[in-house]
Amino acid sequence: MVLDPTKHADWEIAEEAESRMKTVYQLRDELGLEEKELLPYGHYVAKVDFAKVLDRLKDRPDGKYIDVTAITPTPLGEGKSTSTMGLTQGLGKRGKNVIATIRQPSGGPTMNVKGSAAGGGLSQCIPLTPFSLGLTGDINAIMNAHNLGMVALTSRLQHEFNSSDAFLERSNLKRLNIDPRNVEMKWIIDFCAQALRNIIIGMGGRRDGFMMSSGFAIAVSSEVMAILSVAKDLKDMRERMGKIVVAYDKKGNPVTTGDLEVDGAMTAWMVEALNPNLMQTLEGQPTFVHAGPFANIAIGQSSIIADRVALKLGDYVVTESGFAADIGFEKFWNLKCRMSGLTPNCAVVVATIRALKAHGGAPLPLPGQPLDPAYSQENVEWVEKGCANLIHHINTVKKAGINPVVCINAFHTDTKNEINAVRRLAEDAGARVALSEHWQYGGEGAVEFADAVIEACNEPNDFKFLYELETPLRERIELIAKEVYGADGVEYTPEAMEKAVRMEKDPEMQKMGTCMVKTHLSLSDNPMLKGVPTGWKLRVRDILTFGGAGFVVPMAGAVPLMPGTAANPAFRRIDVDTETGKVEGLF
């Protein structure tokens, strides 16, 4: 079968490639892993015992470290995962020992409109079905750990409401006086279930729980997922698990999972999940898949553990940050690199002619609807206007002191004049630029892209954080708003201002990073404003505390922690061949 992404669906390409993919035992040997370091889940997926690998290779120098980010996407996404796979394959074509590290997809977008983030065309992570449908169970472990914390919280509320101090003492329980109107945690599920955003629980009698408002968030927004992303080892994870703030008592003091004595049991669910998952690109380069937080509502990074292991095993490591440089890259820069101690050599900003047209004035694409014909017709003016968004993100990368490379992720409808306009404007902004046709041609189509990244990695950079941890919270938020988003300033709701003032007085809070919640569809906090909005202020409506992950979480705009399922979701086209058991329709 000749694979042609203009004629074959992603799942058809993946299915054919999987008929000849490497076993995990072959990947083990190519990576130089020892037998005891590989933990197989069948023949084509495995976990890797990170602790054994890092201990054995602790004195080996790290490889080159490359982050892939993007311009502000349209609702359809702009091929950042595809470009991550394509770059990995392109570096492989250049004979480099390269490893990709990417996030595990959430069931929400996989069954909705965005797809599973495996890449696409001839640049994918395979095997596609396990990648898209639960993999080795890490997200299931996260849901169980998180929801166990909610069980501990809600049952404690019930028992304290129903029982006397004497009864609690006989059960060796201290009354925590939890305020049911000030609960920070929700239940989680790994689908976009908007009907569960706001619910009432505990209806019935005394034995049916404490009746109160509650709700669900999507699994990847869980602080447990964030902890998996940033934990250095099991000891670190165990300590973090006890610091999760689930609610506040009636005096306003935080109540943690440690106070509920559930943190040890929550960690027990996560022991195996701490080991990264080993998969491969369509062309056989090893790929670690680990953690999966969204960038608009969480840290948006694959795990520090996976990156550390890959950097010891590979000469080049390609990782990916969620959404655009204002969100995912900013958190890679100021959170992930700070927590890991790792320094990147290069950052890629992925752009498509399609998205640049959207930022330049073309009708906005709608998920599940046919693309407007304007996107397949030449319009250099729209592209040039849209490049303001690209240049803004190039400048964000440069503020971190990192060498930027622009990848023009090519579509077969792009014209030479449109591509040349992007190349000219991006080069004038100080970035290397490469046209990459990895979606259509795989690694062969990404060699120009790979060469540009190799050149950038060979040049020195001057990596620096946007803020230091000593910087007060509101100053940090203003720096991010002005320097990264392009805002004129920051406004706060009274509730958010009260929390900000209190947090700035707490010495423990001053040790935490700042993890912004903001729409991914605009540089601003209004998803309808495209290009580079001016004359606006970031409005912070609330500030959450992720004590275990080590984040203060300012929330800007109306970004729900539980996304909604669209009218024409992907699950309508996913099925199983009952003769072969093969899943069809994934992308």
Side-chain angles (χ1 to χ4, degrees):
M1 177 179 176
V2 178
L3 299 177
D4 183 350
T6 66
K7 298 177 181 177
H8 300 115
D10 287 347
W11 67 267
E12 293 175 310
I13 293 170
E15 184 176 290
E16 198 282 332
E18 287 163 10
S19 68
R20 49 188 166 77
M21 65 181 162
K22 298 173 182 177
T23 67
V24 289
Y25 311 105
Q26 185 176 350
L27 290 173
R28 175 197 64 195
D29 294 341
E30 292 177 0
L31 284 168
L33 292 169
E34 295 184 351
E35 184 176 352
K36 64 183 178 181
E37 294 167 348
L38 190 79
L39 309 170
Y41 279 66
H43 299 299
Y44 302 103
V45 175
K47 280 188 171 289
V48 171
D49 191 324
F50 78 94
K52 286 186 172 68
V53 175
L54 291 178
D55 182 63
R56 178 171 63 87
L57 301 179
K58 58 181 178 292
D59 297 324
R60 180 180 290 183
D62 287 346
K64 302 289 188 182
Y65 193 29
I66 304 144
D67 183 56
V68 178
T69 185
I71 65 171
T72 304
T74 71
L76 307 180
E78 298 315 315
K80 186 159 46 56
S81 299
T82 307
S83 299
T84 300
M85 293 293 97
L87 174 58
T88 303
Q89 293 172 165
L91 288 166
K93 288 292 182 185
R94 287 304 195 207
K96 302 301 182 183
N97 175 19
V98 57
I99 302 170
T101 62
I102 61 176
R103 291 169 295 160
Q104 179 181 350
S106 161
T110 297
M111 294 293 156
N112 200 2
V113 294
K114 195 170 184 294
S116 73
L122 294 190
S123 293
Q124 298 186 45
C125 179
I126 56 174
L128 178 61
T129 295
F131 177 84
S132 305
L133 303 181
L135 200 53
T136 58
D138 293 352
I139 291 181
N140 186 63
I142 287 163
M143 288 192 290
N144 284 331
H146 178 110
N147 288 334
L148 181 61
M150 281 298 290
V151 168
L153 170 66
T154 53
S155 63
R156 186 63 164 264
L157 273 164
Q158 173 191 355
H159 294 310
E160 289 196 10
F161 183 76
N162 289 341
S163 306
S164 65
D165 288 345
F167 177 87
L168 294 176
E169 287 173 10
R170 287 197 296 273
S171 300
N172 199 25
L173 292 177
K174 173 188 173 184
R175 186 176 291 278
L176 297 176
N177 283 315
I178 302 164
D179 184 351
R181 295 162 298 182
N182 200 358
V183 172
E184 192 142 305
M185 207 169 178
K186 292 187 174 185
W187 307 89
I188 61 168
I189 186 173
D190 196 35
F191 293 115
C192 298
Q194 61 266 45
L196 295 177
R197 284 176 185 159
N198 300 289
I199 61 175
I200 300 295
I201 60 173
M203 292 186 290
R206 286 167 55 90
R207 296 180 180 274
D208 297 315
F210 182 85
M211 192 165 73
M212 57 184 281
S213 296
S214 188
F216 276 78
I218 195 164
V220 290
S221 71
S222 168
E223 186 172 352
V224 180
M225 175 65 90
I227 289 172
L228 179 63
S229 187
V230 303
K232 296 182 178 66
D233 50 37
L234 182 57
K235 183 175 184 291
D236 185 33
M237 171 173 274
R238 175 65 185 85
E239 291 173 355
R240 291 175 180 276
M241 206 68 81
K243 297 178 181 178
I244 297 174
V245 176
V246 295
Y248 294 86
D249 68 17
K250 292 174 183 177
K251 293 182 178 180
N253 300 309
V255 177
T256 67
T257 45
D259 295 327
L260 294 170
E261 299 176 284
V262 70
D263 45 336
M266 290 172 67
T267 307
W269 281 103
M270 294 297 299
V271 173
E272 294 301 320
L274 205 55
N275 290 314
N277 306 290
L278 177 61
M279 301 186 74
Q280 60 192 283
T281 71
L282 213 65
E283 297 178 6
Q285 288 82 21
T287 301
F288 285 119
V289 181
H290 203 213
F294 290 171
N296 59 336
I297 55 178
I299 188 173
Q301 313 295 318
S302 59
S303 75
I304 287 173
I305 284 175
D307 286 2
R308 289 175 63 208
V309 171
L311 285 164
K312 292 301 183 186
L313 294 170
D315 296 328
Y316 288 82
V317 172
V318 182
T319 194
E320 174 194 358
S321 296
F323 296 124
D326 59 315
I327 299 180
F329 174 78
E330 188 276 313
K331 294 172 183 179
F332 172 81
W333 167 23
N334 292 301
L335 290 175
K336 188 177 184 180
C337 289
R338 193 192 305 271
M339 296 174 127
S340 68
L342 300 173
T343 301
N345 300 93
C346 165
V348 172
V349 182
V350 177
T352 61
I353 299 299
R354 179 178 72 179
L356 291 170
K357 286 181 177 178
H359 287 292
L364 296 180
L366 299 173
Q369 300 298 318
L371 204 60
D372 191 286
Y375 285 96
S376 58
Q377 300 166 0
E378 181 174 281
N379 192 313
V380 176
E381 182 181 358
W382 276 346
V383 172
E384 289 179 337
K385 287 181 179 178
C387 277
N389 185 273
L390 169 60
I391 292 167
H392 185 98
H393 291 300
I394 291 171
N395 290 335
T396 296
V397 171
K398 289 168 68 177
K399 286 175 182 177
I402 303 173
N403 302 322
V405 172
V406 169
C407 167
I408 304 174
N409 177 22
F411 285 62
H412 64 278
T413 54
D414 301 343
T415 71
K416 184 177 180 180
N417 289 333
E418 291 169 337
I419 291 166
N420 286 341
V422 179
R423 192 183 294 274
R424 171 175 51 82
L425 291 168
E427 287 177 347
D428 288 347
R432 283 182 171 82
V433 182
L435 177 69
S436 190
E437 297 179 293
H438 47 266
W439 179 83
Q440 192 164 358
Y441 300 113
E444 288 289 352
V447 290
E448 179 188 337
F449 184 13
D451 289 343
V453 167
I454 292 168
E455 289 177 6
C457 285
N458 287 335
E459 288 188 354
N461 62 33
D462 183 28
F463 181 73
K464 53 187 177 293
F465 298 118
L466 180 64
Y467 59 84
E468 298 303 324
L469 291 183
E470 294 77 23
T471 306
L473 175 61
R474 280 173 290 172
E475 287 185 30
R476 293 189 207 175
I477 296 172
E478 186 152 343
L479 276 170
I480 294 169
K482 289 183 174 180
E483 296 296 325
V484 180
Y485 306 158
D488 290 343
V490 183
E491 298 175 337
Y492 295 84
T493 64
E495 180 186 30
M497 177 62 77
E498 181 182 348
K499 288 186 176 182
V501 171
R502 173 173 54 80
M503 289 174 176
E504 287 175 351
K505 296 176 182 178
D506 185 344
E508 288 302 310
M509 295 289 182
Q510 294 171 10
K511 301 174 185 176
M512 296 184 179
T514 302
C515 185
M516 303 293 295
V517 173
K518 182 184 79 71
T519 179
H520 60 290
L521 295 173
S522 173
L523 283 166
S524 75
D525 52 14
N526 180 350
M528 300 309 296
L529 298 179
K530 303 303 177 183
V532 182
T534 58
W536 65 280
K537 290 187 176 182
L538 184 77
R539 181 172 173 78
V540 177
R541 61 181 173 84
D542 198 4
I543 305 178
L544 305 181
T545 303
F546 276 23
F551 307 149
V552 174
V553 186
M555 302 182 71
V559 180
L561 299 185
M562 171 59 80
T565 291
N568 188 24
F571 65 68
R572 296 178 64 189
R573 292 168 289 282
I574 296 171
D575 209 332
V576 178
D577 184 325
T578 57
E579 296 296 323
T580 65
K582 296 283 188 180
V583 175
E584 301 173 348
L586 288 167
F587 72 103

